[in-house]
C-alpha cells in the first residue's frame, strides 16, 4: 500500500533560489525509507540522472521505458537540453554540429528557443542558473496535475537535486569555480 499522502505532506518547502540549508541526502534517505521496492527503483533511476558516469544512451533508453510518466518526460526533456548544449558548443568550437549528439532526442522541442537563448548568455554562472531554472519549470509543468502520487515525489527529488547543487556552492565559490572553468575552456580551445 502506498503512503504518498503522508510522504508528500512531510516534505519540506524548497526554494528555487537555493536559500536555506537543507540536508538533501537526509531528506532523500527519509523519502526512500517510506517507499516500497518498486518506487525506490524509480527513485534510483531518477537520481542516476545526476551521475555523469551513467548518462549514456543506455540510461536514456531505460528512462524512456520507465513505468513513471515523470521519469520518461523529464529525461526526454533532459536529453533534448543536453543535445542542444552539445550542438551549441559544437557551433562555437567550429566542430560538426551533430558531433557527440546522443541519439533519441529530436532536434525540435517547444522549449528549444528559450534554451538556445540561455546558452547565448555570456556569463557562465547565469547560463547554468538559467538552465537549472528551465529544468525547474519543466518539473513544475510535469507535476502540475499530480496531487498524491509518485510523480510528485519524483518531481520534488529532482528539485532537491537542483537546490543541493546550488547550496554546495556559495556565491563567491560558485563564481570562482565557473570563471576558472571558463578560463580553462578558453585556454584549451582557443575561444
Amino acid at each position: 500500500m502506498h503512503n504518498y499522502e503522508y510522504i508528500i505532506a512531510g516534505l519540506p518547502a524548497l526554494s528555487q533560489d537555493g536559500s536555506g540549508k537543507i540536508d538533501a541526502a537526509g531528506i532523500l534517505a527519509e523519502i526512500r525509507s517510506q517507499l516500497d521496492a518498486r518506487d525506490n527503483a524509480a527513485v534510483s533511476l531518477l537520481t542516476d540522472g545526476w551521475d555523469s558516469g551513467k548518462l549514456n544512451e543506455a540510461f536514456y533508453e531505460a528512462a524512456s521505458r520507465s513505468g513513471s510518466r515523470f521519469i520518461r518526460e523529464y529525461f526526454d526533456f533532459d536529453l533534448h537540453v543536453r543535445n542542444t548544449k552539445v550542438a551549441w558548443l559544437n557551433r562555437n568550437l567550429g566542430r560538426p554540429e551533430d558531433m557527440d549528439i546522443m541519439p533519441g532526442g529530436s532536434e525540435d522541442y517547444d522549449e528549444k528557443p528559450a534554451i538556445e537563448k540561455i546558452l547565448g548568455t555570456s556569463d557562465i554562472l547565469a547560463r547554468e542558473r538559467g538552465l537549472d531554472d528551465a529544468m525547474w519549470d519543466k518539473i513544475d509543468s510535469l507535476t502540475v496535475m499530480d496531487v498524491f502520487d509518485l510523480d510528485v515525489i519524483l518531481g520534488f527529488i529532482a528539485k532537491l537535486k537542483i537546490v543541493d547543487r546550488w547550496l554546495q556552492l556559495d556565491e563567491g565559490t560558485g563564481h570562482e569555480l565557473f570563471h576558472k572553468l571558463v578560463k580553462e575552456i578558453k585556454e584549451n580551445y582557443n575561444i
Side-chain angles (χ1 to χ4, degrees):
M1 181 165 160
H2 300 288
N3 55 346
Y4 300 140
E5 304 89 12
Y6 302 105
I7 297 170
I8 293 166
L11 296 175
L14 294 179
S15 169
Q16 193 169 356
D17 67 2
S19 62
K21 290 293 177 192
I22 298 174
D23 175 14
I27 294 169
L28 185 56
E30 178 63 26
I31 292 170
R32 282 180 168 279
S33 74
Q34 299 175 64
L35 295 173
D36 63 22
R38 182 177 176 189
D39 291 343
N40 265 301
V43 170
S44 292
L45 181 59
L46 176 68
T47 58
D48 282 352
W50 279 268
D51 182 342
S52 59
K54 295 182 180 180
L55 290 178
N56 55 35
E57 191 174 344
F59 170 81
Y60 284 103
E61 180 62 32
S64 74
R65 291 189 318 268
S66 172
S68 164
R69 176 192 54 81
F70 179 83
I71 288 176
R72 288 190 312 271
E73 293 182 18
Y74 179 81
F75 284 111
D76 179 63
F77 180 67
D78 182 75
L79 180 58
H80 288 308
V81 171
R82 288 180 190 278
N83 280 344
T84 302
K85 286 169 48 175
V86 170
W88 180 84
L89 283 169
N90 286 342
R91 278 192 305 275
N92 285 292
L93 295 174
R95 298 178 358 173
E97 194 166 323
D98 62 349
M99 186 175 186
D100 298 324
I101 297 291
M102 197 166 315
S106 68
E107 291 183 25
D108 293 319
Y109 58 104
D110 293 341
E111 299 89 351
K112 186 175 183 177
I115 297 299
E116 288 179 330
K117 183 177 180 181
I118 292 167
L119 291 170
T121 305
S122 60
D123 182 340
I124 194 164
L125 187 60
R127 184 181 317 146
E128 288 299 313
R129 181 57 194 262
L131 292 170
D132 279 344
D133 286 347
M135 298 307 285
W136 190 285
D137 292 344
K138 187 62 171 185
I139 294 164
D140 285 342
S141 75
L142 293 176
T143 59
V144 71
M145 299 302 287
D146 296 306
V147 182
F148 293 117
D149 63 12
L150 182 61
D151 285 347
V152 171
I153 295 167
L154 295 173
F156 175 86
I157 292 169
K159 285 182 175 181
L160 180 64
K161 296 300 260 180
I162 293 170
V163 170
D164 188 47
R165 175 180 180 218
W166 287 95
L167 286 174
Q168 291 181 32
L169 300 172
D170 65 26
E171 188 172 323
T173 302
H175 280 289
E176 180 183 327
L177 292 173
F178 280 114
H179 289 292
K180 178 181 175 184
L181 178 61
V182 169
K183 181 180 175 187
E184 289 172 0
I185 290 171
K186 285 181 178 179
E187 288 173 355
N188 291 331
Y189 294 102
N190 297 322
I191 297 177

